[in-house]
Amino acid sequence: FFFTHKPAYAMLRSLVGSEMCIRDSCSSDKESLASAQGKGLDLNGLKFQKEEMIKQINILKKKLKDIDQQILQLDPDEKLPIVTSYKIIPENFIHHIEVQGNIKTRQNVLLYPEYSGSLIQIYVKEGQNVKKGTQLAQIDDAGLRNKLEQLKIQLNLSKITYERQQRLWDKNIGSEMQLLHAKTTYQSQLESITQLKKQLLKTQIRAPFSGTIDEIIANTGSNLIPGQTPVFRVVNLNNMYVEASIPERYISEIKLSTEAIVEIPVLRKTYSTQIRQIGNFINPNNRSFRVEAPLVNSQNNIKPNLTCKLKIKDYSNPNALMIPLGVVKENSKGDKYIFKLEALNKEGVYITKKTFIELGKKSIDKVEVTKGIKLGELILNEGAAIVDENQRVREIE
């Protein structure tokens, strides 16, 4: 091939001559280095020899590149690495902070009795919807109702006595002490009746809010102890919310009304919401703060204590320059780079150019590039692991 094409043949001869010169130079340099070491050549002398060798290698590389260009023009069937490209176009990029959340409701309570005694009657069933204030059960009052009736009779007599003493006192009949005694007796019995009515109300267990009787725990005839024996669980699923702990590094990025997404894996549902509460306390154990977001439960299929994913929007860019994560490389210094594709004078053939870039936030499979690329540029996609800088490649769709 080279003998039939004079330019390539001449270049090959030049290349061979350069190789021989470099080889001879290298051998002479080795001898010089050995003699220099024997003579105690200083560090500057060694560095100078190294620079001279690098210059000769670079000259050889340039000649190899020229030969490659000749081959590219003369050999249409040249075997090149097959790659795919990725064109840089603007994308609407939204980044979320994703954390584990817990679904809760503040209307999920166990009802305990306020009065000790036997549970004599239950008025509701499990699963029944009740309104706020509905009586759910009755506890034995241990004679409080009979005592109330007696106090009412005594109160009636005290009232009559007090009114009569008042009429006599208005006519200047009787003593003031008799009037005060009758008034005190009447007011004391009136207060006793009020207190006894309050005690009787404690023998009734009523719904604290509208909701559903989720569970009846105690049975009829059970002896109830105030604050210790649970009787009912009442749940309202209308006002649900998501609670999550957010690492403190995001405290400046999350504000009230920030958009968020709730994903519930077991229901395979996704809900839109907003942050309605941000905690002011940093937990010293895990360096996090609490956030809360409301959750609409129109179908009543969301239950308390379900686990979920809370995705909080913390960044958006409608014209972001995104590239696949797999094309990003890293050198020994930790600098990130990619390979751009520059077109040659042959259809479908490109040359790779190493380009250092700066990255922003990333999604599942892409990352935003903040510096180093422009709109419309082609970068190496599939095949990036098998090529190097300044290498010719062939693109396939």
Side-chain angles (χ1 to χ4, degrees):
F1 170 77
F2 283 99
F3 291 101
T4 58
H5 297 86
K6 293 183 179 180
Y9 176 65
M11 189 167 293
L12 179 60
R13 290 187 59 187
S14 176
L15 175 62
V16 172
S18 298
E19 285 186 299
M20 293 176 63
C21 291
I22 291 177
R23 185 166 57 249
D24 294 340
S25 175
C26 289
S27 60
S28 62
D29 286 339
K30 288 181 181 178
E31 294 174 357
S32 300
L33 180 59
S35 61
Q37 289 177 343
K39 295 180 181 179
L41 188 65
D42 60 2
L43 180 61
N44 291 331
L46 294 175
K47 288 184 176 180
F48 176 77
Q49 290 182 357
K50 179 181 177 181
E51 291 176 358
E52 290 299 319
M53 291 181 182
I54 292 175
K55 289 180 181 178
Q56 293 174 2
I57 292 173
N58 289 336
I59 293 172
L60 184 59
K61 285 184 176 179
K62 185 177 182 303
K63 292 183 177 182
L64 284 172
K65 184 177 180 182
D66 293 338
I67 292 177
D68 288 339
Q69 292 295 333
Q70 293 287 339
I71 294 175
L72 178 62
Q73 296 176 4
L74 300 173
D75 184 7
D77 299 323
E78 180 187 10
K79 293 183 178 180
L80 296 174
I82 303 300
V83 299
T84 62
S85 64
Y86 183 87
K87 188 174 183 179
I88 304 300
I89 59 174
E91 298 183 29
N92 183 21
F93 175 50
I94 299 176
H95 185 265
H96 294 89
I97 301 169
E98 184 174 328
V99 293
Q100 192 76 13
N102 190 27
I103 297 176
K104 295 184 177 182
T105 175
R106 289 188 172 86
Q107 294 183 327
N108 173 23
V109 298
L110 285 174
L111 297 184
Y112 292 86
E114 296 183 86
Y115 190 82
S116 62
S118 176
L119 182 61
I120 60 176
Q121 192 168 1
I122 297 175
Y123 300 108
V124 293
K125 298 179 181 180
E126 290 184 351
Q128 180 178 337
N129 294 324
V130 295
K131 294 183 178 180
K132 181 180 179 179
T134 301
Q135 184 176 356
L136 308 179
Q138 178 65 49
I139 303 173
D140 184 15
D141 59 20
L144 286 180
R145 195 170 298 278
N146 294 332
K147 186 177 180 180
L148 178 62
E149 295 300 325
Q150 292 176 3
L151 283 176
K152 285 181 178 180
I153 294 173
Q154 295 175 6
L155 178 66
N156 188 37
L157 178 61
S158 298
K159 182 180 180 183
I160 294 173
T161 302
Y162 167 64
E163 291 174 349
R164 182 172 295 179
Q165 287 293 333
Q166 184 66 49
R167 287 195 299 269
L168 290 173
W169 177 254
D170 292 339
K171 295 178 181 181
N172 296 323
I173 300 174
S175 65
E176 184 179 3
M177 289 301 296
Q178 290 176 331
L179 175 63
L180 293 175
H181 179 73
K183 182 179 179 180
T184 301
T185 302
Y186 171 68
Q187 291 179 342
S188 176
Q189 291 179 349
L190 190 64
E191 183 66 23
S192 297
I193 288 177
T194 301
Q195 294 297 326
L196 196 57
K197 285 181 178 179
K198 290 182 179 179
Q199 282 188 307
L200 276 172
L201 287 176
K202 292 182 179 180
T203 65
Q204 302 174 1
I205 300 178
R206 296 181 177 272
F209 50 81
S210 298
T212 303
I213 304 300
D214 190 64
E215 183 180 5
I216 299 176
I217 303 172
N219 298 318
T220 303
S222 301
N223 290 320
L224 306 181
I225 302 175
Q228 297 186 22
T229 312
V231 184
F232 300 98
R233 178 181 291 277
V234 183
V235 180
N236 188 324
L237 300 180
N238 292 331
N239 300 316
M240 309 293 289
Y241 67 94
V242 177
E243 184 182 77
S245 295
I246 309 297
E248 65 177 353
R249 65 179 179 271
Y250 297 114
I251 195 167
S252 62
E253 301 178 22
I254 299 179
K255 308 294 182 183
L256 290 177
S257 300
T258 299
E259 296 179 9
I261 298 174
V262 179
E263 293 182 356
I264 306 177
V266 296
L267 299 180
R268 298 178 181 178
K269 296 283 187 179
T270 301
Y271 302 87
S272 297
T273 183
Q274 292 181 338
I275 300 300
R276 73 178 181 189
Q277 184 175 343
I278 300 175
N280 296 313
F281 172 75
I282 302 296
N283 189 332
N285 296 324
N286 56 11
R287 309 306 305 173
S288 66
F289 61 96
R290 175 181 171 275
V291 297
E292 182 179 304
L295 196 58
V296 178
N297 191 17
S298 57
Q299 298 179 351
N300 286 337
N301 57 347
I302 304 176
K303 311 299 180 184
N305 299 318
L306 276 176
T307 57
C308 65
K309 291 181 181 179
L310 180 62
K311 297 181 178 180
I312 305 172
K313 177 182 176 181
D314 68 326
Y315 173 78
S316 64
N317 185 355
N319 296 305
L321 304 182
M322 308 293 293
I323 63 173
L325 279 169
V327 306
V328 181
K329 306 299 178 183
E330 183 177 346
N331 62 15
S332 59
K333 297 181 181 180
D335 299 324
K336 306 294 190 299
Y337 66 90
I338 58 172
F339 288 114
K340 289 184 181 179
L341 295 179
E342 293 186 1
L344 298 175
N345 54 355
K346 187 175 181 180
E347 184 178 358
V349 177
Y350 297 84
I351 188 169
T352 61
K353 294 294 182 181
K354 180 187 290 188
T355 303
F356 288 93
I357 58 175
E358 293 182 8
L359 303 180
K361 296 182 180 295
K362 62 181 180 179
S363 62
I364 297 177
D365 57 348
K366 290 185 177 182
V367 63
E368 183 184 15
V369 179
T370 59
K371 186 177 180 180
I373 59 175
K374 298 179 181 179
L375 288 177
E377 291 183 326
L378 286 180
I379 66 171
L380 187 61
N381 190 8
E382 296 180 4
I386 61 173
V387 301
D388 202 352
E389 185 179 11
N390 294 324
Q391 183 174 354
R392 295 192 313 279
V393 295
R394 189 183 304 279
E395 180 198 15
I396 60 170
E397 295 183 0

